Amino acid sequence: MSTSAPATLTDHLAAFRSAYDELKAQGLKLDLTRGKPAADQLALSDALLTLPGEGVFTDAAGTDLRNYGGTAGLPELRALLSDALRVPVPQLLALGNASLTLMHDVIAFAMLHGVPGSERAWGREETISFLCPVPGYDRHFSITEAMGIRMIPVPMNDDGPDIPSVKAALATDPTIKGIWCVPVYSNPTGAVYSEEVARELVSLAAADDFRIMLDNAYVVHHLTDWRPEAVDWLALADEAGNPDRVFVFASTSKITYPGAGVAFFGSSPANVQWFQKWAAFQSIGPDKINQLRHVALLQDAAGLAAHMQKHADLIAPKFAAVQEVFGRRLAPFGVGEWSDPKGGYFVTLTVSPGVAKRAIQLAAEAGVAITPAGSTHPYLSDDEDATIRIAPTFPTLADLNAGLEGFCTALLLAEAERATV
């Protein structure tokens, strides 16, 4: 959502300072930093704690799930998520509790061994680089940085990464081996990649071992009745003659329990075989009992959709609160532009250059914690100092409203201070 307004900030500086002093005097202690499910969302999956039921330890084929084996994960659970992820069941693995672990492992395996199409292990290259659409997900960036991979920011548009910028980077830098992508309700803008952008990405002129790290964390996390057109990334890559280009990641972290969910990895047959080869050294099989619990809870695609509607019913009012408070408090002064996502877990607020850190500092001093400025960019470095990630889901609606009101007070003061310089 964009705003424009006739009111001048400088005329209200004294009033903003007074309002901020009153805010500090309230002694608030509110946290809007992380995109976590709230307690009432977690309660939607509490039946997991009594599942799968006494004596129920086998899958449809009669396999005893308490034992070793089944390294690909429970077939029934893979089938349940296959359509949403657009990955055929034989090419989809159901594994541990966190997709972040799988992303880390894939990068680690590539550094140690290379991937299908590599001339050598990535770690033997003098320099490895990744393209990082910004604003983006801080944990993607932290994995990449931890592995010693150089990060190259590229702009994000409403339909995905800016393709001319991606092509320009690839044309001049042969060290680029991959790109991070959150294709549905992107973190943190809520952007949904178009099929046109997907086709461009899988068709890029790049190294044989160039990989798209497709983090499909929010593919079923809708806030409205609208549903984005499903994009079959693996089929598009195959059509483009680059069948091994895409790694797909997902999890049930924001579907059931973040600490006790199931993570998924999908890709081409060659990539899946590659992953299983190296993963075999660290595990003889995932927690199939937990996977059986998830099948018992969610049942099928219709059950998954009904479960996610319950999530939407709980958090959609919180996203509406962000729009209402920002529209009421910021719009009259022409402060900020913010996204209005149709799904996912975040709202992105863009403020005047040089204001984000100051606004977040003022908010923190008044007891309102916001995700640190720069978190949406590689190396925590937002050159514009203008992007702020808002995470509405975890607080209660009352706490969220109080936090948003307090943050707007801090932001208006920061913007007015800048306007007077």
Side-chain angles (χ1 to χ4, degrees):
M1 176 178 178
S2 298
T3 63
S4 59
T8 60
L9 291 166
T10 53
D11 292 341
H12 293 81
L13 179 58
F16 291 152
R17 282 177 174 158
S18 176
Y20 179 71
D21 289 340
E22 292 176 8
L23 174 69
K24 290 182 70 174
Q26 294 177 31
L28 298 177
K29 191 175 181 180
L30 302 170
D31 189 343
L32 278 64
T33 58
R34 300 302 313 185
K36 299 191 296 185
D40 55 359
Q41 292 178 261
L42 299 177
L44 297 175
S45 300
D46 282 350
L48 285 173
L49 302 178
T50 61
L51 294 171
E54 185 176 355
V56 181
F57 302 119
T58 59
D59 63 12
T63 304
D64 190 335
L65 302 176
R66 297 172 295 180
N67 217 326
Y68 289 125
T71 55
L74 193 63
E76 291 89 338
L77 184 60
R78 292 153 58 203
L80 201 159
L81 269 294
S82 173
D83 185 60
L85 297 175
R86 291 297 188 266
V87 179
V89 174
Q91 295 165 228
L92 183 64
L93 309 179
L95 300 167
N97 76 312
S99 57
L100 200 65
T101 302
L102 302 183
M103 296 176 220
H104 179 278
D105 284 353
V106 163
I107 298 293
F109 294 163
M111 295 297 286
L112 290 169
H113 312 293
V115 299
S118 294
E119 294 183 6
R120 61 187 68 85
W122 286 6
R124 293 178 59 194
E125 302 285 357
E126 183 175 345
T127 303
I128 291 292
S129 304
F130 256 57
L131 299 176
C132 299
V134 294
Y137 180 30
D138 52 341
R139 296 195 187 274
H140 290 164
F141 304 151
S142 61
I143 288 176
T144 318
E145 185 175 8
M147 295 288 180
I149 297 173
R150 183 170 65 105
M151 293 181 282
I152 303 170
V154 293
M156 268 287 292
N157 297 325
D158 290 339
D159 61 351
D162 184 67
I163 294 299
S165 297
V166 170
K167 289 181 175 179
L170 284 168
T172 58
D173 192 339
T175 71
I176 298 172
K177 293 292 188 181
I179 183 172
W180 289 105
C181 293
V182 182
V184 180
Y185 308 131
S186 185
N187 179 351
T189 65
V192 176
Y193 289 27
S194 67
E195 183 172 319
E196 180 182 1
V197 165
R199 286 184 181 277
E200 290 276 12
L201 288 171
V202 300
S203 304
L204 290 169
D208 290 340
D209 56 351
F210 178 85
R211 291 294 184 269
I212 298 170
M213 300 286 286
L214 200 75
D215 184 357
N216 228 334
Y218 303 106
V219 66
V220 294
H221 297 70
H222 313 294
L223 290 170
T224 72
D225 293 336
W226 178 79
R227 299 291 182 268
E229 282 292 323
V231 175
D232 190 334
W233 287 77
L234 297 184
L236 293 180
D238 194 46
E239 291 173 13
N242 298 310
D244 300 330
R245 175 156 290 184
V246 181
F247 290 143
V248 179
F249 305 91
S251 78
T252 66
S253 288
K254 293 183 175 75
I255 296 174
T256 56
Y257 289 160
V262 182
F264 299 85
F265 171 78
S267 195
S268 67
N271 281 339
V272 171
Q273 183 180 25
W274 166 84
F275 179 87
Q276 289 185 296
K277 174 183 177 180
W278 299 116
F281 292 102
Q282 63 181 198
S283 175
I284 307 175
D287 183 349
K288 299 180 292 297
I289 295 296
N290 190 40
Q291 295 184 9
L292 185 62
R293 292 188 191 104
H294 278 73
V295 172
L297 176 71
L298 301 172
Q299 296 288 319
D300 51 25
L304 173 62
H307 186 78
M308 295 312 297
Q309 183 59 51
K310 295 176 184 177
H311 278 280
D313 292 342
L314 292 174
I315 65 175
K318 297 181 180 182
F319 281 82
V322 176
Q323 302 301 316
E324 190 280 325
V325 174
F326 283 0
R328 175 169 46 80
R329 295 291 308 280
L330 304 181
F333 299 97
V335 167
E337 296 181 355
W338 52 92
S339 61
D340 186 6
K342 296 184 181 298
Y345 259 60
F346 304 100
V347 174
T348 297
L349 172 65
T350 304
V351 297
S352 299
V355 166
K357 287 181 181 178
R358 175 60 174 162
I360 290 171
Q361 175 195 0
L362 288 170
E365 292 174 358
V368 180
I370 303 293
T371 305
S375 296
T376 55
H377 288 63
Y379 309 109
L380 301 177
S381 179
D382 174 8
D383 290 341
E384 292 289 312
D385 185 24
T387 303
I388 298 173
R389 188 181 75 180
I390 304 297
T393 57
F394 184 67
T396 65
L397 186 57
D399 282 351
L400 174 64
N401 273 296
L404 291 170
E405 294 283 357
F407 172 67
C408 285
T409 297
L411 174 57
L412 288 169
L413 176 56
E415 289 274 5
E417 288 177 343
R418 174 186 173 276
T420 60
V421 174

